[in-house]
Amino acid sequence: MEKIKIIYIAGYGRSGSTLLERILGEFEGFFSAGELWLIWERSFLENQLCGCGKPFNSCDFWREVVEKAFGKISSSDVINILKLRNSVQRMRYIPFLLFPKIRFRDFDFRLKNYIQILSKLYTSIAKVASCNIIIDSSKVPLHAFVLLNLKNIELNVIHLVRHSCAVAYSWQRKKIRPEITNKIVYMPRYSSFKSAFEWNKINLLFLVTKKMFNNYIFVKYEDLVSSPDKIIGIILKKFGIKRDVSNILQKNILTLTENHTVSGNPMRFKKGKIEIKYDKEWHQKMSFSQRLIVSTFTLPLLLKFNYNLVKQ
């Protein structure tokens, strides 16, 4: 049986993952799934909006996926799946996720049960979407480490990084979450210190574990928005995928069609033509003290990623 090719967008939030996913999702045979690690709470339980604009439980695509994967599934079933996920997807279990030989029996049993559920989900998505490539923009290291244990997928990782100051500034913006329709809810906002800490932690985790993935590529957000056609071409070549980039990108113009992402940045709801360009608002509006805190705390990785500290 041919394995399902997964393109996993890894990194810290507010690094441009939704943009990258939307670009890739426009290619034939690709399916943008959104942040699938959050599907249990945000979609099954909270019934948040799919990228098509319909509530998850009213979306014909996801109803068919769920039916093929699980048949009838109740809220209590989903809660149990969430408990199962949380029992294996923890920072302290990273060694067990990466090195099967050191697992204790109870953890191995729980993990096998959870990956069996994930396997059904990804298989069903591929069948209903009639695709052979699923884009999962979950970003978080723990979900990627869980996916390493699925036998029926080929895991390809794009480690997407954006300048730490730009990310920290974005986390302080006040944004409404449009996928929640029964009340007004804002996206989380983090302090400069917390953003810097998480940026370090997540990017460092992917750096030190990159050899665990068969296919891994490092991409900077700044390069992506500067030359999207070039960077997308490099990504596709790295993963052995033959597609004509010019069919999707005309210079920096991208035409977005309907998608069925389950979670992500509000950009996932956009349709029509958009211009891909560098968001430089943080250059003018981020305070000197905040930039100093973030740049100082993330300096080693900024240098590792070849960011020009003078210009930035």
Side-chain angles (χ1 to χ4, degrees):
M1 183 177 178
E2 187 177 354
K3 291 186 176 183
I4 302 166
K5 189 184 288 285
I6 305 294
I7 293 180
Y8 190 87
I9 302 177
Y12 187 41
R14 308 296 176 91
S15 296
S17 59
T18 303
L19 171 63
L20 177 56
E21 178 181 27
R22 294 300 309 270
I23 297 172
L24 292 172
E26 293 301 327
F27 285 98
E28 183 181 356
F30 284 61
F31 176 78
S32 297
E35 299 174 5
L36 276 175
W37 83 285
L38 293 171
I39 193 172
W40 311 113
E41 55 264 62
R42 292 191 178 181
S43 300
F44 280 93
L45 293 181
E46 298 174 14
N47 197 29
Q48 294 181 12
L49 294 184
C50 168
C52 69
K54 295 179 181 178
F56 177 80
N57 292 331
S58 301
C59 173
D60 291 338
F61 174 83
W62 285 110
R63 287 168 71 173
E64 187 175 352
V65 167
V66 174
E67 176 66 27
K68 287 184 180 297
F70 309 113
K72 291 184 178 179
I73 187 167
S74 65
S75 295
S76 60
D77 292 329
V78 176
I79 290 171
N80 287 332
I81 292 173
L82 261 176
K83 289 178 180 178
L84 185 62
R85 184 199 71 183
N86 294 338
S87 74
V88 297
Q89 201 165 295
R90 295 184 180 183
M91 292 293 289
R92 66 175 180 263
Y93 291 148
I94 287 177
F96 298 141
L97 292 172
L98 296 178
F99 305 105
K101 290 184 179 180
I102 66 170
R103 292 174 190 160
F104 54 87
R105 184 178 299 176
D106 185 52
F107 177 85
D108 192 55
F109 177 76
R110 297 196 306 269
L111 180 61
K112 285 179 178 178
N113 284 340
Y114 184 52
I115 62 177
Q116 185 177 30
I117 292 166
L118 286 180
S119 180
K120 289 179 180 179
L121 177 64
Y122 283 96
T123 300
S124 184
I125 290 172
K127 287 181 179 178
V128 177
S130 298
C131 73
N132 53 9
I133 302 168
I134 297 173
I135 309 159
D136 185 339
S137 60
S138 292
K139 293 184 289 297
V140 296
L142 289 171
H143 187 61
F145 298 158
V146 169
L147 293 183
L148 279 170
N149 295 276
L150 270 70
K151 304 300 183 185
N152 67 327
I153 71 167
E154 175 195 311
L155 188 60
N156 305 272
V157 172
I158 304 173
H159 182 184
L160 182 65
V161 171
R162 187 181 183 187
H163 194 289
S164 55
C165 288
V167 170
Y169 176 78
S170 182
W171 276 112
Q172 292 177 351
R173 285 172 167 171
K174 192 174 183 179
K175 290 184 177 181
I176 291 177
R177 293 179 59 189
E179 67 269 26
I180 300 175
T181 57
N182 60 338
K183 56 184 176 179
I184 296 177
V185 177
Y186 292 94
M187 298 180 77
R189 299 171 72 190
Y190 298 148
S191 68
S192 297
F193 181 79
K194 179 174 174 59
S195 295
F197 177 82
E198 292 296 326
W199 187 92
N200 271 335
K201 181 182 74 175
I202 289 174
N203 286 313
L204 186 59
L205 263 174
F206 278 115
L207 268 184
V208 300
T209 60
K210 65 182 182 180
K211 290 185 178 179
M212 302 295 295
F213 306 105
N214 290 328
N215 286 316
Y216 167 99
I217 187 171
F218 175 83
V219 173
K220 289 166 71 172
Y221 161 85
E222 292 80 5
D223 294 335
L224 175 66
V225 295
S226 175
S227 303
D229 53 346
K230 177 184 176 181
I231 298 302
I232 295 300
I234 291 171
I235 290 171
L236 296 179
K237 184 178 180 180
K238 171 68 176 178
F239 296 156
I241 302 168
K242 294 182 179 180
R243 294 291 189 280
D244 188 347
V245 178
S246 64
N247 289 338
I248 303 301
L249 287 163
Q250 300 297 326
K251 293 185 178 179
N252 280 44
I253 302 299
L254 171 69
T255 302
L256 297 172
T257 56
E258 184 177 87
N259 69 87
H260 292 287
T261 50
V262 292
S263 183
N265 188 282
M267 185 204 170
R268 69 192 179 96
F269 295 108
K270 286 189 176 181
K271 296 179 185 178
K273 291 185 183 298
I274 65 163
E275 181 184 4
I276 300 172
K277 57 184 179 180
Y278 178 60
D279 180 0
K280 57 182 180 180
E281 183 179 323
W282 69 275
H283 288 272
Q284 289 83 34
K285 295 187 177 181
M286 189 175 194
S287 70
F288 174 77
S289 60
Q290 289 176 327
R291 290 178 66 165
L292 183 62
I293 290 170
V294 176
S295 295
T296 301
F297 197 63
T298 60
L299 183 60
L301 283 184
L302 285 175
L303 295 174
K304 172 71 176 177
F305 298 148
N306 294 318
Y307 276 104
N308 189 323
L309 301 182
V310 176
K311 286 186 178 181
Q312 301 295 343

